[in-house]
Amino acid sequence: VNDTTPFAVQAEVTLKTNFFGTKNVCTELLPLMKPYGRVVNVSSMVSSSALGRCSPELQQKFRSDTITEEELVQLMTKFVEDTKKSIHEKEGWPNTAYGVSKIGVTVLSRIQARQLSEQRKGEHILLNACCPGWVRTDMAGPKATKSPEEGAETPVYLALLPSSADAPHGQFVSDKTVRPW
């Protein structure tokens, strides 16, 4: 928040790291996932609040059950390009690069889960996005409410879902609870 780096630069770096980095790792590793595997993408509750600050048109796209990975990549790229032209707010985007990057992670997780259900049906692979909470890290600072151990609870819970579990899958989870998207 206090970073004086131009917003367009922040947007490009943040999306490259949080969204495109996650997408690239999943593109390489998902084909290697064995049956009963678990994938946990780390998102944030900020994705939900940022989604609520998007235009109705963008919200509809991000909530769509049929959005493709290609369409999502186009939207994430458009956000970065819109920030470079200083028109992102006029185009319906919230003024948070971190929030948009985490919208991308959450929506990507929903898309990937849908693809796994279609292409690898019967393999019982579960893929979800989660929010660890406000954790005391270098980014969040010492006033954050959760210790790193407490922040790890939801990601570890999802990673260790038993082989008999068929849910959650393609969900956004916080405090071990599925949250509406």
Side-chain angles (χ1 to χ4, degrees):
V1 173
N2 297 324
D3 191 348
T4 57
T5 305
F7 187 70
V9 174
Q10 289 183 42
E12 186 166 27
V13 171
T14 303
L15 268 79
K16 275 185 181 177
T17 303
N18 292 348
F19 173 72
F20 288 101
T22 299
K23 183 187 98 45
N24 293 342
V25 167
C26 287
T27 297
E28 297 300 320
L29 296 182
L30 281 176
L32 306 176
M33 184 65 57
K34 293 180 179 177
Y36 299 96
R38 304 293 182 251
V39 180
V40 182
N41 290 327
V42 178
S43 188
S44 171
M45 288 302 284
V46 174
S47 68
S48 293
S49 59
L51 179 66
R53 294 197 311 273
C54 287
S55 68
E57 179 188 30
L58 284 172
Q59 287 184 44
Q60 183 179 7
K61 289 178 182 180
F62 288 132
R63 288 191 169 114
S64 169
D65 290 330
T66 58
I67 186 173
T68 65
E69 191 169 316
E70 295 77 23
E71 290 168 334
L72 178 60
V73 166
Q74 288 173 355
L75 286 167
M76 294 292 104
T77 302
K78 182 177 177 351
F79 171 72
V80 173
E81 294 306 314
D82 287 351
T83 64
K84 290 177 181 177
K85 298 175 198 166
S86 298
I87 61 168
H88 62 284
E89 289 178 289
K90 183 173 88 57
E91 291 293 310
W93 297 101
N95 202 34
T96 166
Y98 180 79
V100 171
S101 76
K102 294 302 185 172
I103 288 171
V105 170
T106 301
V107 175
L108 178 67
S109 300
R110 291 166 46 93
I111 293 166
Q112 291 171 338
R114 190 176 73 229
Q115 290 172 334
L116 284 169
S117 294
E118 293 167 0
Q119 298 165 5
R120 297 182 67 180
K121 191 176 178 121
E123 292 191 32
H124 307 282
I125 298 170
L126 300 180
L127 187 152
N128 292 286
C130 75
C131 174
W134 191 31
V135 180
R136 289 187 291 279
T137 61
D138 289 346
M139 183 176 130
K143 294 181 181 176
T145 55
K146 287 186 175 183
S147 70
E149 294 79 11
E150 291 167 325
E153 284 180 18
T154 295
V156 170
Y157 157 76
L158 290 169
L160 298 178
L161 287 168
S163 59
S164 60
D166 60 1
H169 181 57
Q171 300 297 321
F172 179 65
V173 180
S174 176
D175 292 322
K176 298 193 273 188
T177 304
V178 172
R179 305 296 178 178
W181 182 252

